[in-house]
Amino acid sequence: MTGSETFATFGIGLAYGWARHQRTARGLLKSRIDRGFSLPYGQVMADLDVAVAGAGFAGIYAVHAFRSAGLTVRAFEAGSGIGGTWFWNRYPGARCDVESKDYSYSFSPELEQDWSWSERYPAQPEVLRYLNHVANRFGLWPDIQLNTRVTAATWDADRAEWTVRTDDGASVTARFFVSAVGCLSAYQVPSLPGLETFAGPWYHTSRWPAGGADFTGLRVGLIGTGSTGIQVAPEIAAVAEHLYVFQRTANFAVPNRNRAIDPAWETAFKADYRSYRQQAQGSFLGVPIAGTGRPALAEPPADVQRTLMDRWQAGGGMPFLGAYTDVLVDRDANDIVAEFMRDRIRETVADPAVAELLLPRAYPVGAKRLCQSDDYFAMFNRPNVTLVDIRSAPLTSVSARGLRTADAFYELDALVFATGFDAISGALNQIDVRGAGGVALAETWAAGPRAYLGVAPAGFPNMFIVTGPGSPSVFSNMVLSIEQHVEWIRDCVLYAGAHGYATVQAKPSAEDAWMAHVTEVAYSTLFPLADSWYVGANIPGKPRVFTSYLGGVGPYRARCDAVAAAGYEGFALDRRLAMSSSVHPQAQLILDGIAAAGGPPFWELTPEQARAIVTANNEQIGPGPDVASVRDVVIPGQAGGIPARVYSPVPSAPGVVVYYHGGGWVVGSVDGWDASVRALAVASGCDVVSVDYRLAPEHAFPAAADDAYDALVWAAGELADGRPVVVAGDSAGGNLAAVTALRARDLGGPTLALQLLVYPVTDCDLDRKSYHEYNGREFLVNRQDMAWYWSLYVPEPAVRVNPYASPLRAPDVSGLPPLYLVTDEHDPLRDEGFAYADRLRAARVPVEHRHYGSQIHGFFSFVNLLDDADKAVSEAGATIRAVVKG
Ligand code: NA7
């Protein structure tokens, strides 16, 4: 501490400090503290641990997985129901192209046994029923907020938390932000001139009216012949007077051979569901497909035709394309399969001219999503269906009565757009996501979306994307990939908590390397050859980048697991806050006061002079809150009576806190710490004994430590009388509390419920980084002050390594009481606090750590002056309350 006569500007601090004091710190407590030590680190009290955008398959499971891990979570969903893409895509004929036995959660063996699918390929209503069943079964509704669209998410580096804003005008803070908005959520309607003038109704398949649309007797124009268009077309053709299918690109489609699930088959299959799921996890697509394992080009052509026909008859895209190993990497092999499929179209469609138009030739089969349908091609044999080629004569405009192409006009009563999505990045780019330095995600992704391992975008700390760009996502069984991502993210969040990291962020170099790998793998296949939504080609102006990982689900999972096992390789994990250089304005007022007062530094004063300054300064804090009783006692110590003051907030408090004030073992006093100790008594609801231990240099080490221990023995015996006991202290007092906890363990002394250490001195090494950061700088305590204090408390340097002076040096810290650690950023003692937490964690001692990123050494005592002091005392008190209640 620099030697000012008083804090010159405390007058200002005092004026508003009093006003704040009226509302007390007690109201600041939130539910988090009730969970005791489930979260070992949290420098701020964010509203949530995890905020999730979206409640489709990913968001629903995220709620369950995070919550089951003891984290607080809320998912915000724009829809009036859960289900995401399965909520919105309720057009007739909507059906999953992955089998129901695969396209379902695997996390709960009970769930997979209880639920019965009715069909091989589930239709949209059944998928939605399933998801609602899951939400009901696992009681997820309280943590899902419907009808609420996430509009913005902003990273706050000072607090290491996200502020997530929603379209109802509300906002919530969360330590982690998880996007579960899905890969195919942002639908696109082509900009056709005159669409607004169309007299009839028009629909996009992805925003289908909940009540359905009636096309009976209407002339309907359908634009789009991808998976969706192919599914909806036969449904419309069945009721419409006439259906015009406007085709820009002819697509491949395999039969579904959809059928009802046979109960006997189901029973047999479910008997070994677990091992099936395991196979799926290690498979290429997230579905165990039995391929031949051979290249088509190495097989006799007749055998290839037979195999393809067998699989065509069996139905399903994955087994068909997965028959041979070279179909998606060798154009000649691909051509064999493509020609086989064209033959099937020729066989099915009666009119050769129409068949010819339907033959896909523009891209290798599989390089666009392979469509599945049992009745699409046959539909063109109906007299009320017309195929319109808009490749040769493109759509030009819409008028009130219909659609105009370059060479004709089509009179229409209704229009249906099955024109797809701004895939992978579209939905996330609709949210104003701002990461480190306020940089927008959309800006970062201007050249194409990217994320390390497809899950963590560099520059966006504590943000994860479920099935993001660079992950297998749409090239896999989405449900399985969603589960893998959510579980990986959950484990990463827990790891950060367990190791005291405030932030987790992908390193740009790791992201670059990963995306280069993603690109390299993609370009070893035929996929980039198609103008597909996979590469963003369907959205005008979108950069053409292939952003899905084609290395396979199993290898990808292994890579993710290896990254985690290596301590999250490629991620920067940081204990402190990113923008830690700024001092809180309230604390700055205090520092300004010291600077304005001038005067010699502490270490040039005598201890008496320094004590006089501390006493005068602390008087500026003002009185603490009233308590039921205060009494001065003298504790019998081995070296004589130890004065102490007992604060009782209520007549019969549930526990006892033995408190050791700070002041470098030299300058502190019970009187000087009166306000903050009162506040702690009120916040904890416990009796607090503030110990007037002997000071140095009159009484050098181990006098203070001996008094501290004697006071504990007295408090635990005489005062507590069976009630739980906690030791606590700040700065040098934190040292005494830590040492007392060590001694109690070593000597078989009183059992402690908790040790509350506030920016404690844990080691005599004055060369840690934080000591050099605060070397000679104008802060309440700097490196020179600490050297001076040590020289008075333990004059002989060789003795300072004694664990009862430097508890960090204790050979063994296991079996110590749980630690609640408070640290601050602008503090030479910062790093030794972190080091102590690390050591205790490594010894499996429960640790909860709150770090105040903009605070200064000593802040905990300035209860009337600093909001953070009120908050810190309040949080610590609440933890003590929880601990003593058991
Ligand atoms: P897709 O597969 O992107 O299909 C969209 C269709 O719409 C496709 O035929 C497009 O033709 C056509 N389209 C898109 N824009 C236009 C314009 N401006 N004019 C004419 N035609 C256009 O979307 P889906 O909804 O079918 O399927 C998306 C995924 O959902 C699917 O892959 C499955 O994974 C589930 P194009 O081929 O671009 O010439």
Side-chain angles (χ1 to χ4, degrees), residues 85-86 89 91 95 97 184 188-192 204-206 222-231 246-251 363 368-371 390-391 394-395 417-423 474 531-534 537-540:
T85 209
W86 294 106
N89 284 269
Y91 59 87
R95 188 177 294 284
D97 60 1
L184 294 162
Q188 75 136 348
V189 177
S191 58
L192 276 174
H204 190 285
T205 43
S206 184
L222 168 67
I223 302 165
T225 54
S227 301
T228 301
I230 281 177
Q231 286 187 340
F246 294 88
Q247 172 189 279
R248 190 164 69 177
T249 307
N251 282 315
Y363 62 94
K368 279 190 176 192
R369 180 82 170 204
L370 183 56
C371 304
I390 56 169
R391 172 70 61 186
L395 294 174
F417 291 94
T419 42
F421 302 86
D422 182 354
V474 292
D531 288 336
S532 64
W533 59 259
Y534 292 150
N538 62 327
I539 303 295

